[in-house]
Amino acid sequence: MTSTRKTALVAGVFYLITFISIPTLALYGPVKNHRDWILSSGGHTAVLVGGFLEVIVAFACVGTAVTLYPVVKRQNEGTALGFVAARVLEAGMIFTGVISLLSLVTLRQHLGGAAGADAASLVTTGASHVAVYDWTFLLGQTLMPAINALLLGSLMYRSRLVPRVIPAMGLIGAPLLIIAVFATLFGQHSALTGLAALPVIPVAAWELSLGVWLVVKGFRPSPITAGMDAATTSAAHQEVAV
């Protein structure tokens, strides 16, 4: 297995790992759909599991950028660096959202069951934590993947490291998703309901297909992979000579 094949495999695995947070849509349901969840009794394991999954996703996001940077920088270093920065920013926003919900769990553990004015205050506090999560999700896990699709998609499309149809999905869906996010910011509609959810599909398909392709096939032969393999071979020969 060549070094470029290993790089593609690791990057593909990281991309596939980013999809493990899908169950959080159900795990966070009780918290997001019941304003008085903070006052209710019962377990909160689902929230903890969801937070754990999202932390893994955050690390996987950074992993995809760090792994692919040495490859895609050979196409355009500035764009590749922008992709790394965007991926790190996405991970930071994910952590912010997780912290807001974990803080809500802590409040529920220590302050749940309050009555009267305290209860109303707690419900308001709980709603604010959920709102923080919703906005960080919108910006971190909805907007940033679209930005990443534009950056990495353009690099992959021009370099032909993968079939062009794969990055094309991201390049088509990303502008539509960005429009949907900004429409949400200006109060036109929810980012994840109705027609606004449609742009999520090509962006998600681009990331999933990229991960699968890199794991199964690796990078397609190109001047970039040839240069990397030549550099690796040269370095190995120098070590042998020494």
Side-chain angles (χ1 to χ4, degrees):
M1 184 180 290
T2 64
S3 61
T4 53
R5 182 67 184 97
K6 292 178 182 178
T7 298
L9 178 61
V10 173
V13 170
F14 276 133
Y15 260 106
L16 295 180
I17 289 175
T18 61
F19 284 87
I20 68 171
S21 65
I22 292 177
T24 59
L25 297 175
L27 293 173
Y28 292 157
V31 182
K32 299 180 65 176
N33 297 329
H34 300 86
R35 290 178 55 86
D36 60 347
W37 180 83
I38 191 173
L39 301 177
S40 64
S41 60
H44 45 261
T45 303
V47 179
L48 298 179
V49 172
F52 176 71
L53 293 178
E54 290 201 282
V55 167
I56 294 176
V57 169
F59 283 119
C61 287
V62 177
T64 60
V66 173
T67 305
L68 288 175
Y69 176 73
V71 180
V72 295
K73 75 174 183 179
R74 293 171 176 263
Q75 178 65 37
N76 187 302
E77 187 170 4
T79 304
L81 187 60
F83 169 64
V84 174
R87 216 54 166 147
V88 172
L89 180 59
E90 178 182 352
M93 291 183 179
I94 292 174
F95 274 114
T96 301
V98 171
I99 290 171
S100 69
L101 291 188
L102 294 183
S103 299
L104 183 57
V105 170
T106 300
L107 288 173
R108 185 173 186 254
Q109 287 178 313
H110 295 286
L111 302 175
D118 290 336
S121 176
L122 285 175
V123 170
T124 301
T125 301
S128 68
H129 281 262
V130 172
V132 169
Y133 177 82
D134 287 340
W135 284 111
T136 55
F137 184 90
L138 177 69
L139 298 178
Q141 299 190 61
T142 308
L143 176 62
M144 295 312 301
I147 301 298
N148 294 328
L150 291 177
L151 294 171
L152 182 61
S154 63
L155 292 171
M156 289 293 185
Y157 190 87
R158 287 180 290 175
S159 65
R160 297 178 182 268
L161 289 169
V162 298
R164 280 187 160 182
V165 66
I166 295 177
M169 289 187 290
L171 294 174
I172 293 172
L176 300 176
L177 187 54
I178 291 173
I179 292 173
V181 170
F182 279 96
T184 301
L185 288 174
F186 289 101
Q188 295 303 309
H189 50 66
S190 173
L192 296 177
T193 57
L195 295 177
L198 294 179
V200 175
I201 298 174
V203 174
W206 130 256
E207 293 192 350
L208 179 61
S209 58
L210 176 63
V212 171
W213 181 273
L214 292 179
V215 169
V216 176
K217 295 289 188 178
F219 297 120
R220 301 178 73 180
S222 69
I224 291 178
T225 57
M228 293 183 65
D229 289 337
T232 302
T233 302
S234 176
H237 287 166
Q238 290 179 359
E239 290 181 0
V240 172
V242 173

